[in-house]
Amino acid sequence: MEILVILVPLALALGSAGLIAFLWSLRSGQYDDLDGAAWRAFADDEPPQQAPTSASASSQS
Amino acid sequence: MQVTRDFSHYVRTAGEGLQHIDLAVEGVHCAGCMAKIERGLSAIPDVTLARVNLTDRRVALEWKAGTLDPGRFIDRLEELGYKAYPFETESAEATEVAESRFLLRCLGVAAFATMNVMMLSIPVWSGNVSDMLPEQRDFFHWLSALIALPAAAYAGQPFFRSAWRALAAKTTNMDVPISIGVILALGISVVETIHHAEHAYFDAAIMLLTFLLVGRFLDQNMRRRTRAVAGNLAALKAETAAKFVGPDEISHVPVAAIHPGDIVLLRPGERCAVDGTVIEGRSEIDQSLITGETLYVTAEQGTPVYAGSMNISGTLRVRVSAASEATLLAEITRLLDNALQARSRYMRLADRASRLYAPVVHATALLTILGWVIAGAGWHDAIVTGVAVLIITCPCALGLAIPTVQTVASGAMFKAGVLLNAGDAIERLAEADHVIFDKTGTLTLPDLEVMNAADIPADIFALAGRLALSSHHPVAAAVAQAAGAKSPIVGAVEESGQGVRATVDGVELRLGRPPFCGAETLVGGATLDPEASIVAFSKGNEKFILSVRQGLRPDAQAVITALKARNIGVEILSGDREPAVKAAAHALGIPEWRAGVTPADKIARIEELKRRGAKVLMVGDGMNDAPSLAAAHVSMSPISAAHLSQATADLVFLGRPLAPVVAAIDSARKALHLMRQNLWLAIGYNVLAVPVAISGVVTPLIAAAAMSGSSILVMLNSLRARSASREMA
């Protein structure tokens, strides 16, 4: 039964990792458009997105 | 005259020298549209973000501050084939998004805890019947407590807060028994764990929270989505006005940025977005959306005009007396408020169920404890059994029964072109047994149609259509549309208030008022519809008369028949003149109709029907219908309706056909049936499980199985509401 000392923390760690991943994905807005996300999987290529905002800000100044 | 567009009202600063605007886009429905729009907009230099949200049908755009005019995005989208409108998030919508996210976060935490506590519980359950050492069991129980207690403290917040608010206000709601159940179950589990007992209820308590959060999230999400779509509808109606910013300079600004005292320009063919008084110009105004009257009224200096009326022939300058939300006749607002108050007394099915539920459950638990004490059991055993009863009767199936069906049914209706404005609209629509239709814009199409196109030689009609393209007049637009005209005639001249003329191959063509075309004599001879507008077309000496009016919706007849087949009473109440209403009623075979009805009369008729026990569905689009829409048991509006009516109606349907009315009734009836079935399923489970719990033999395993079993069954049953969309499609 000593194996529990390893397995129980391991299981909890995996579970927490899942929870943290979920909270992160929620925070980054990945559940905001579920209909769109379903279709995006079929898109051939993502259009160019997200020009680095910090770089654009510094080039402006 | 210089014209500019001003969208500054909608632009937000997004930090780091970026600006942000949200656009509501019409006609986005697939991956192709998404990629096309995103690629097309990203190609504009200095755009840093262009992302389509398919759920809400919106585009979020960010660009370097000060480099671009937002109007350019709208032009670009138009080039791509989409109509877009700037869009402002209402604060209510923002709150709902935040609340929805919070619920999802709580759900995540609760689901994580449930899975892990279950993982620890199963060894305990199987260990209890075999060879588990008490120390190991205690270790597992403590570990469960370590996970479940903080998780419940976080994930239970939506329920605890609401229960606390209710108690502070000295009332009770569904969340009070939930909170008591969860807290008692956790408390007794800790006590049991300290006393090295065989059973603890951490798993049951946290699972209860998980299932309840699923129901709460679905409920919330449906309302959030509805509000998002309703917000788009408001934006898609493109309510902008041409405001004078200088003596000779106008700017197109959103109605929200217009204030009383401003002066706006109203051109022919434009719908007025504000209330005001004409200060210059002369024209005819179509007030059918406001009064239901299809004949035009003359507007000149001093005439009041109301939002929703269409300017027909001349250009007007209007001094604004009320704008934005205040554009209503005082009487309509007053009637509306009264009607809405009356309706708020409607009790939702879930509320009615939970009102019965809480006392029954608490009484059962209390009686169980007392019963066991009287029967000679110790206080400890009696209380444990009492808590087991509380847990097993947990209202999770009850909490899921309504929201799951609502979510699935609203999704099905959404696909069929019906949008829900109110959460309980499905329940009320299912009960409707009498339908009152408004005529103008509801049974008839809001656009004009040429009624006698078949009587005119095709080549002449095509020529008239091409000439009509040069005019802004709505009647001309109807002629152009009916003729399928694509290319205007070069050199056509519009004479304000008269018509259009042009010369082709030395022959003069004229389209407009009969005198303008020299065709007065023809009008008298023609036996034409009393409500039609007459325009004449002349080609040299050949003269023709066109009769233009609002046609009936293409499937109005079929819909009336379908309603009668469902034993639903049908009648027409219209503010329009008697001959017009009579003609429509006769064409559709509706014996009950009334014409020239005022908003107060409409409400009186609805009240009369209510007293007779009828549940009235009101279908209307005009501003004069808004109070009766609110007074009826349930109401629907077409998408072309006046802003106010649309906001008041419980359901809004899209497109030209009237069929969504029947489809929505069918779908709502099916959904209500499923809701009732779900409630009975939940009650049935409790009837089976409660005696087991009272008898004191319940283990956490039985409690967990009964609870999750009933919840899953209810959810699966709700999915049957999906088939409604297939029947409609």
Side-chain angles (χ1 to χ4, degrees):
Chain A
M1 283 294 169
E2 285 75 27
I3 193 72
L4 285 181
V5 180
I6 300 166
L7 285 184
V8 168
L10 186 66
L12 289 182
L14 285 174
S16 317
L19 179 64
I20 290 167
F22 170 75
L23 291 179
W24 169 79
S25 60
L26 179 66
R27 187 174 291 268
S28 64
Q30 297 193 23
Y31 298 95
D32 288 356
D33 180 19
L34 293 175
D35 293 359
W39 283 108
R40 271 177 212 281
F42 295 112
D44 296 334
D45 52 322
E46 282 278 289
Q49 289 275 323
Q50 298 279 9
T53 51
S54 55
S56 63
S58 59
S59 68
Q60 254 184 351
S61 57
Chain B
M1 198 179 296
Q2 199 186 340
V3 180
T4 52
R5 280 181 301 184
D6 180 10
F7 294 119
S8 55
H9 183 71
Y10 295 108
V11 175
R12 286 191 283 117
T13 309
E16 290 193 53
L18 291 175
Q19 285 184 314
H20 182 109
I21 194 169
D22 286 313
L23 301 177
V25 188
E26 217 170 352
V28 185
H29 48 74
C30 66
C33 311
M34 248 178 1
K36 195 164 139 196
I37 290 175
E38 288 182 356
R39 221 171 280 143
L41 288 172
S42 302
I44 301 175
D46 287 332
V47 169
T48 55
L49 173 82
R51 196 166 172 91
V52 176
N53 185 322
L54 196 61
T55 314
D56 299 340
R57 317 264 155 112
R58 290 176 190 167
V59 185
L61 279 159
E62 277 176 19
W63 67 96
K64 287 182 205 163
T67 54
L68 289 168
D69 170 30
R72 186 154 166 208
F73 303 128
I74 292 176
D75 294 340
R76 181 84 189 111
L77 281 165
E78 197 146 322
E79 284 166 34
L80 293 169
Y82 300 94
K83 251 179 129 64
Y85 301 100
F87 172 85
E88 187 183 26
T89 312
E90 289 168 51
S91 61
E93 195 182 324
T95 319
E96 287 201 333
V97 170
E99 206 174 316
S100 175
R101 275 197 182 194
F102 176 64
L103 281 174
L104 202 53
R105 220 156 50 223
C106 288
L107 179 58
V109 170
F112 153 81
T114 305
M115 284 188 285
N116 284 285
V117 172
M118 269 298 160
M119 182 188 78
L120 295 167
S121 297
I122 291 169
V124 174
W125 297 338
S126 48
N128 276 340
V129 291
S130 57
D131 58 349
M132 185 176 243
L133 302 174
E135 297 79 45
Q136 286 168 348
R137 191 172 58 215
D138 283 353
F139 170 68
F140 274 56
H141 277 164
W142 278 119
L143 214 53
S144 301
L146 195 70
I147 301 166
L149 290 177
Y154 183 78
Q157 285 180 78
F159 306 102
F160 300 155
R161 277 189 205 155
S162 153
W164 183 250
R165 269 200 304 274
L167 288 179
K170 296 208 168 54
T171 59
T172 120
N173 58 14
M174 190 71 161
D175 293 328
V176 174
I178 291 170
S179 302
I180 293 177
V182 169
I183 292 170
L184 263 183
L186 290 173
I188 205 108
S189 302
V190 172
V191 174
E192 293 289 88
T193 305
I194 292 170
H195 289 107
H196 313 287
E198 274 189 22
H199 298 306
Y201 297 99
F202 294 113
D203 44 4
I206 195 77
M207 194 197 283
L208 165 66
L209 280 182
T210 308
F211 279 120
L212 286 169
L213 281 167
V214 170
R216 197 65 50 108
F217 174 71
L218 288 177
D219 196 28
Q220 169 76 24
N221 211 30
M222 190 195 77
R223 267 183 290 146
R224 187 187 72 83
R225 180 170 171 158
T226 305
R227 197 181 289 272
V229 173
N232 278 6
L233 292 183
L236 289 173
K237 298 202 81 182
E239 294 194 80
T240 61
K243 171 181 156 181
F244 280 91
V245 289
D248 226 7
E249 189 183 345
I250 56 172
S251 178
H252 283 281
V253 293
V255 174
I258 298 265
H259 303 288
D262 287 345
I263 295 176
V264 296
L265 184 72
L266 196 59
R267 280 166 297 203
E270 269 184 351
R271 206 172 271 288
C272 188
V274 295
D275 280 3
T277 319
V278 176
I279 54 170
E280 195 187 310
R282 196 184 154 82
S283 175
E284 287 172 305
I285 289 186
D286 171 6
Q287 296 201 327
S288 58
L289 262 187
I290 303 155
T291 59
E293 165 80 51
T294 38
L295 285 190
Y296 298 154
V297 292
T298 308
E300 53 201 0
Q301 197 173 346
T303 310
V305 289
Y306 300 104
S309 41
M310 172 88 88
N311 182 19
I312 303 295
S313 45
T315 303
L316 298 173
R317 279 188 191 220
V318 175
R319 185 183 301 280
V320 179
S321 60
S324 190
E325 292 309 305
T327 52
L328 331 164
L329 299 159
E331 193 193 352
I332 287 187
T333 318
R334 188 177 55 76
L335 289 170
L336 193 61
D337 286 347
N338 292 346
L340 283 175
Q341 265 171 13
R343 189 199 281 170
S344 64
R345 282 184 231 124
Y346 180 81
M347 272 267 278
R348 294 177 28 156
L349 197 54
D351 295 340
R352 275 180 278 167
S354 65
R355 188 165 287 193
L356 290 174
Y357 177 87
V360 170
V361 169
H362 286 158
T364 314
L366 200 67
L367 287 177
T368 308
I369 296 174
L370 293 178
W372 277 100
V373 169
I374 292 165
W379 275 105
H380 172 261
D381 288 349
I383 290 175
V384 169
T385 314
V387 170
V389 170
L390 268 187
I391 293 173
I392 212 155
T393 57
C394 87
C396 46
L398 206 59
L400 288 169
I402 312 283
T404 46
V405 177
Q406 268 180 349
T407 308
V408 178
S410 74
M413 286 189 178
F414 189 73
K415 284 195 188 116
V418 181
L419 309 173
L420 288 170
N421 249 350
D424 52 359
I426 294 179
E427 291 164 41
R428 285 187 276 116
L429 183 60
E431 293 165 359
D433 54 12
H434 193 98
V435 184
I436 298 180
F437 285 102
D438 169 50
K439 185 189 73 75
T440 314
T442 306
L443 286 174
T444 61
L445 285 165
D447 311 319
L448 298 165
E449 274 181 63
V450 182
M451 301 312 290
N452 61 340
D455 305 343
I456 292 163
D459 55 326
I460 299 284
F461 193 47
L463 210 53
R466 287 181 59 198
L467 188 58
L469 279 179
S470 303
S471 168
H472 282 299
H473 199 286
V475 171
V479 173
Q481 169 119 31
K486 290 278 183 296
S487 57
I489 292 172
V490 183
V493 182
E494 180 164 15
E495 287 186 11
S496 180
Q498 296 298 319
V500 209
R501 60 183 166 81
T503 310
V504 175
D505 303 332
V507 182
E508 188 172 54
L509 306 176
R510 282 180 179 226
L511 177 77
R513 290 163 170 265
F516 176 69
C517 305
E520 302 100 311
T521 46
L522 279 176
V523 180
T527 48
L528 291 160
D529 214 298
E531 57 173 320
S533 302
I534 308 297
V535 284
F537 178 67
S538 66
K539 182 187 177 193
N541 289 325
E542 296 176 74
K543 320 255 184 219
F544 302 90
I545 291 289
L546 298 171
S547 151
V548 181
R549 56 167 282 194
Q550 293 174 320
L552 289 174
R553 284 192 188 255
D555 58 348
Q557 181 71 66
V559 164
I560 303 297
T561 314
L563 287 173
K564 283 181 179 164
R566 282 164 182 73
N567 240 340
I568 297 174
V570 182
E571 70 176 89
I572 301 179
L573 282 186
S574 175
D576 206 351
R577 292 160 305 120
E578 186 167 328
V581 182
K582 189 175 182 177
H586 189 73
L588 294 170
I590 302 174
E592 273 197 83
W593 55 269
R594 290 178 198 196
V597 186
T598 67
D601 291 342
K602 286 194 183 186
I603 291 186
R605 172 66 183 153
I606 289 172
E607 292 299 332
E608 183 192 335
L609 285 164
K610 263 190 196 167
R611 274 196 298 280
R612 276 200 242 146
K615 307 267 193 210
V616 177
L617 163 63
M618 173 82 204
V619 189
D621 75 324
M623 204 134 85
N624 60 330
D625 294 318
S628 38
L629 288 171
H633 189 62
V634 58
S635 52
M636 281 182 99
S637 271
I639 182 75
S640 53
H643 187 111
L644 178 69
S645 309
Q646 217 174 73
T648 313
D650 296 309
L651 303 106
V652 175
F653 63 95
L654 313 172
R656 288 164 62 88
L658 204 55
V661 175
V662 182
I665 292 178
D666 285 350
S667 162
R669 286 186 171 182
K670 177 161 190 183
L672 183 67
H673 174 70
L674 285 174
M675 285 178 196
R676 293 217 173 107
Q677 211 169 45
N678 273 349
L679 287 179
W680 283 115
L681 270 175
I683 291 168
Y685 246 99
N686 282 336
V687 167
L688 289 179
V690 167
V692 184
I694 293 175
S695 68
V697 298
V698 74
T699 60
L701 176 64
I702 295 175
M707 197 166 67
S708 44
S710 64
S711 298
I712 289 166
L713 202 69
V714 160
M715 280 201 249
L716 289 178
N717 192 40
S718 305
L719 288 180
R720 297 203 297 146
R722 256 190 323 191
S723 64
S725 72
R726 265 176 247 137
E727 283 159 27
M728 276 193 263

